[in-house]
């Protein structure tokens, strides 16, 4: 955070500039916790990177110039000159949120400098969850959105909300939604683009499920500029998906959801209130599975590399796998199976 002359940026004619930024409170905490091994010069931190060796701990000392007062003074000095620096670089700089694991920051920096098309927008998670019906996409999306405070973008839910809002667009797609017929791609994309273009999606990121369902939709999504940086395929056997869906039911009085095997209704009275959603009939589930399998291979090839996750296990175990791939850099190998 030393002094910088904005004029030098113009003079040197740099082609790519990466700005690592974080909230002031984070910067202060990081600086105050620094400790230096006076023998090796290695830098440690009392919170994030404390050595396990007692011998090393005894060699650590607090470096000069990192008191809270001195740190705040240096941050303020940086903030004063940063606007001039950014103006000098015009649109050639890229801001990356440094308030995250260092390995992910490094991955984003490398991804930016190696990419042909650069964006001045800060890095945001853009995740797509694919999977057959019954694979748990909705649950995983909710867990991811809650953990990382990103936007949960459900295609089906967006279409239902549009119908409920009784807008002109909602009235147009209402016959399709009510008859459970596929909404034309151009209308679905219009709905998705409107949601993904909002500020919260642009700044916080998003996790999408229910779309795209085929390569044609994936291409339209890409052409519109909405490009995922993590694509997961949640894999479950057909018989497991059928068991999950065809045996679930909803209490029409309370709205509580039950399952004949995993979560039976607590009494015969409650069971009497329960109904199975028509879309979960054997025939409809089989049809949905056939549609998924007819498109999955092409989608995998389109999004290569993708990450396959065994979703035929405890949902929180599945989430742990997905989370590890969200936090860590994307492996270079194609079609990673977990």
């Amino acid at each position: 955070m030393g002094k910088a002359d904005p004029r030098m940026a113009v003079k040197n004619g740099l082609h790519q500039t990466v700005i690592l930024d974080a909230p002031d409170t984070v910067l202060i905490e990081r600086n105050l916790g620094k400790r230096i091994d006076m023998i090796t010069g290695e830098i440690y931190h009392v919170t994030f990177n404390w050595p396990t060796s007692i011998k090393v701990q005894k060699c650590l000392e607090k470096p000069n110039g990192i008191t809270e007062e001195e740190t705040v003074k240096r941050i303020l000095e940086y903030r004063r000159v940063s606007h001039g620096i950014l103006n000098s670089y015009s649109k050639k700089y890229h801001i990356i949120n440094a308030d995250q694991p260092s390995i992910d920051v490094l991955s984003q920096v490398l991804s930016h400098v190696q990419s042909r098309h650069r964006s001045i927008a800060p890095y945001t998670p853009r995740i797509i969850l694919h999977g057959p019906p019954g694979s748990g996409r909705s649950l995983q999306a909710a867990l991811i959105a809650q953990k990382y405070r990103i936007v949960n973008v459900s295609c089906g839910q967006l279409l239902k909300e549009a119908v409920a809002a009784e807008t002109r667009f909602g009235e147009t797609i209402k016959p399709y939604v009510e008859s459970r017929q596929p909404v034309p791609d151009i209308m679905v994309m219009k709905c998705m683009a409107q949601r993904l273009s909002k500020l919260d999606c642009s700044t916080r990121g998003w996790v999408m499920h229910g779309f795209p369902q085929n390569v044609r939709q994936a291409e339209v999504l890409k052409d519109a500029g909405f490009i995922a940086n993590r694509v997961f395929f949640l894999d479950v056997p057909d018989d497991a998906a059928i068991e999950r869906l065809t045996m679930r039911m909803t209490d029409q009085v309370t709205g509580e959801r039950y399952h004949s095997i995993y979560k039976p209704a607590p009494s015969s009275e409650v069971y009497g209130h329960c109904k199975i959603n028509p879309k979960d009939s054997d025939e409809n589930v089989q049809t949905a599975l056939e549609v998924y399998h007819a498109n999955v291979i092409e989608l995998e090839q389109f999004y290569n590399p993708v990450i396959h996750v065994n979703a035929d296990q405890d949902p929180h175990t599945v989430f742990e796998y997905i989370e590890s791939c969200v936090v860590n850099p994307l492996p270079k190998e194609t079609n990673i199976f977990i």
Side-chain angles (χ1 to χ4, degrees):
M1 294 188 299
K3 290 185 178 180
D5 186 348
R7 293 171 297 180
M8 292 301 296
V10 179
K11 181 179 180 180
N12 293 335
L14 298 178
H15 295 290
Q16 293 196 57
T17 304
V18 175
I19 308 294
L20 303 183
D21 199 14
D24 290 353
T25 54
V26 173
L27 297 175
I28 293 172
E29 180 186 8
R30 287 181 177 177
N31 213 39
L32 294 182
K34 283 182 181 178
R35 298 295 183 269
I36 296 181
D37 185 332
M38 303 309 294
I39 297 177
T40 65
E42 189 75 19
I43 299 177
Y44 295 91
H45 195 280
V46 296
T47 303
F48 308 114
N49 183 28
W50 190 246
T52 56
S53 170
I54 301 298
K55 182 179 179 180
V56 174
Q57 292 178 14
K58 292 180 179 179
C59 298
L60 299 184
E61 292 188 13
K62 195 179 210 181
N64 296 326
I66 67 166
T67 65
E68 184 170 357
E69 182 179 356
E70 291 170 311
T71 301
V72 170
K73 182 179 178 181
R74 293 173 63 194
I75 291 175
L76 290 175
E77 183 180 6
Y78 169 77
R79 299 297 183 198
R80 279 196 296 268
V81 302
S82 62
H83 294 293
I85 296 174
L86 297 184
N87 288 337
S88 297
Y89 286 121
S90 184
K91 295 182 179 180
K92 294 182 180 179
Y93 65 83
H94 179 73
I95 300 177
I96 290 179
N97 175 22
D99 185 16
Q100 53 184 320
S102 58
I103 189 66
D104 216 28
V105 174
L106 175 60
S107 172
Q108 293 161 32
V109 172
L110 291 176
S111 176
H112 170 70
V113 298
Q114 293 172 357
S115 63
R116 183 172 300 176
H117 302 285
R118 306 183 190 98
S119 169
I120 62 172
Y123 170 82
T124 51
R126 299 182 299 275
I127 302 167
I128 293 180
L129 299 181
H130 288 290
S135 59
R137 292 167 299 173
S138 297
L139 175 58
Q140 296 304 323
L143 293 173
I144 294 170
Q146 181 180 28
K147 177 67 180 287
Y148 295 102
R149 298 180 180 177
I150 61 179
V151 182
N152 186 348
V153 182
S154 167
C155 179
Q157 186 62 31
L158 287 177
L159 295 176
K160 291 178 182 177
E161 290 175 356
V163 172
E166 297 183 346
T167 61
R168 180 178 299 179
F169 175 76
E171 291 299 318
T172 303
I173 66 172
K174 185 175 181 179
Y176 297 99
V177 175
E178 291 185 342
S179 62
R180 301 188 185 280
Q181 296 297 315
V183 178
D185 287 352
I186 188 172
M187 296 182 182
V188 177
M189 191 60 225
K190 179 180 179 180
C191 183
M192 298 295 288
Q194 287 178 344
R195 185 64 188 93
L196 294 172
S197 299
K198 290 187 176 180
L199 184 62
D200 56 353
C201 283
S202 301
T203 57
R204 289 160 47 196
W206 43 261
V207 53
M208 182 192 307
H209 53 108
F211 188 88
Q213 297 181 350
N214 52 55
V215 171
R216 182 179 64 256
Q217 294 178 349
E219 289 174 342
V220 173
L221 189 68
K222 179 181 178 181
D223 291 342
F226 304 111
I227 302 174
N229 45 37
R230 294 290 189 279
V231 178
F232 295 91
F233 281 79
L234 309 183
D235 300 328
V236 295
D238 283 2
D239 56 352
I242 292 171
E243 181 182 87
R244 289 182 181 185
L245 296 178
T246 60
M247 303 183 76
R248 67 183 182 182
M249 60 194 76
T250 304
D251 187 333
Q252 301 299 297
V253 176
T254 65
E256 185 73 19
R257 301 181 71 173
Y258 298 100
H259 192 280
S260 298
I261 297 177
Y262 307 120
K263 187 184 176 182
S267 66
S268 57
E269 181 182 358
V270 173
Y271 182 79
H273 300 156
C274 293
K275 288 187 177 181
I276 297 176
N277 193 314
K279 74 174 183 178
D280 291 337
S281 67
D282 287 333
E283 181 180 358
N284 288 338
V285 171
Q286 286 285 2
T287 300
L289 286 170
E290 290 172 4
V291 171
Y292 174 77
H293 290 308
N295 293 284
V296 64
I297 295 178
E298 289 186 345
L299 279 171
E300 289 176 9
Q301 294 172 346
F302 181 87
Y303 282 115
N304 186 43
V306 302
I307 303 173
H308 283 269
V309 181
N310 174 19
D312 190 19
Q313 52 186 327
D314 178 78
H316 293 284
T317 302
V318 175
F319 173 66
E320 289 176 1
Y321 286 141
I322 294 176
E323 183 182 22
S324 67
C325 297
V326 170
V327 174
N328 295 323
L330 185 65
K332 293 182 179 180
E333 293 82 0
T334 60
N335 289 334
I336 301 95
F337 287 83
I338 297 179

